[in-house]
Amino acid sequence: MGSFVSQPLEPVKDVAPPEVASSANPVPVIAPGGPAPPAEAPLFNNCWSCRVLSGSGLIGAGGYVYWVARKPMKLGYPPGPGTIAQMVFGISIACWGVVILSDPKGKAFRTG
């Protein structure tokens, strides 16, 4: 499903030993504003099973945080600022899980 075994292996590249630069042939320096090498794709968050597991886990964690904050209110205690903040934080965690489930990497905006 989401393991490294199910994904194709990349060939290992041999690294040549660095050569000593002579004064006649200096090594060119890359300018800071020059073109950057292409970014590699991340190893995580790129398969459906990974998104389902992490998204549902975040929804569950957010629901639990919200439920723990809501429990004293059901007993009749007035909510304080900390309780309200905990409820907002729980809702935020659950929303983050929904975003992970519904928006796979690379589908929200296109590059290039």
Side-chain angles (χ1 to χ4, degrees):
M1 287 187 7
S3 66
F4 291 111
V5 177
S6 63
Q7 297 177 1
L9 297 175
E10 295 181 16
V12 178
K13 298 177 183 176
D14 293 332
V15 179
E19 297 179 13
V20 178
S22 65
S23 61
N25 295 326
V27 177
V29 178
I30 299 174
E40 294 183 15
L43 296 176
F44 302 109
N45 201 18
N46 60 355
C47 62
W48 175 246
S49 61
C50 300
R51 288 198 323 261
V52 167
L53 182 65
S54 62
S56 60
L58 284 169
I59 290 172
Y64 176 76
V65 170
Y66 181 82
W67 175 69
V68 168
R70 180 98 171 124
K71 193 166 39 170
M73 291 175 56
K74 288 184 177 182
L75 297 174
Y77 294 110
T83 305
I84 302 297
Q86 187 175 356
M87 291 171 66
V88 169
F89 188 69
I91 292 170
S92 301
I93 292 172
C95 289
W96 186 19
V98 170
V99 167
I100 288 178
L101 278 175
S102 63
D103 188 20
K105 182 193 174 300
K107 298 285 184 177
F109 49 90
R110 298 179 185 205
T111 58

